[in-house]
Amino acid sequence: MFHRLEVSVLPPGFRWAAQLQVRINGEEVVAEAVGEGGRGPFAKEALPADGHGPLWATGEGRRVVLGEPECTGGCCGYLSVFVQRHGGMVEWSDWQVPVGKVRPPAFHFHAAQYDAELIRALTDRRWQVYRSD
């Protein structure tokens, strides 16, 4: 069974720049693992205009940092996952989590849905235009 990835961008706030919200099968995975006050990946880094973001899955896997707790990743550890493409499947596995947090299971995505979701998120640049009052 394949899982379903959803990526959206949260608007910038008082403390953080615009950041990604990552849902798998409708469940937010970053916020739960980093806790209240933590942050997900910054949209500018995760969805760069040139399209070469860290979430793109290739045959050569890589570790991707998805967030850090309020006390910083250097203190309590980062939320990260190993992302790799295996033919028509993208795998997220070998999670590393902040101290005291539960490690998510491995997730497997249909590569076409995964790629389509990243392209959709990448081309929706509304987060770059915001009003500050």
Side-chain angles (χ1 to χ4, degrees), residues 66-78:
L66 292 179
E68 67 179 302
E70 184 174 25
C71 66
T72 77
C75 172
C76 295
Y78 294 91

Side-chain angles (χ1 to χ4, degrees), residues 93-105:
S93 62
D94 190 27
W95 290 86
Q96 293 179 355
V97 297
V99 173
K101 298 297 181 177
V102 176
R103 179 182 293 199

Side-chain angles (χ1 to χ4, degrees), residues 75-94:
C75 172
C76 295
Y78 294 91
L79 172 67
S80 69
V81 67
F82 192 77
V83 177
Q84 187 170 17
R85 181 180 301 268
H86 303 282
M89 177 185 74
V90 173
E91 179 181 42
W92 283 19
S93 62
D94 190 27

Side-chain angles (χ1 to χ4, degrees), residues 7-30:
V7 176
S8 57
V9 178
L10 300 172
F14 175 72
R15 185 168 178 201
W16 304 115
Q19 56 187 302
L20 290 193
Q21 181 176 61
V22 179
R23 293 181 179 274
I24 298 176
N25 303 329
E27 298 292 323
E28 218 294 337
V29 294
V30 175

Side-chain angles (χ1 to χ4, degrees), residues 24-76:
I24 298 176
N25 303 329
E27 298 292 323
E28 218 294 337
V29 294
V30 175
E32 184 162 327
V34 299
E36 191 171 330
R39 70 165 183 89
F42 291 125
K44 185 176 182 178
E45 297 164 3
L47 299 172
D50 69 3
H52 294 99
L55 291 173
W56 285 107
T58 65
E60 184 177 323
R62 68 177 159 273
R63 181 151 301 280
V64 177
V65 174
L66 292 179
E68 67 179 302
E70 184 174 25
C71 66
T72 77
C75 172
C76 295

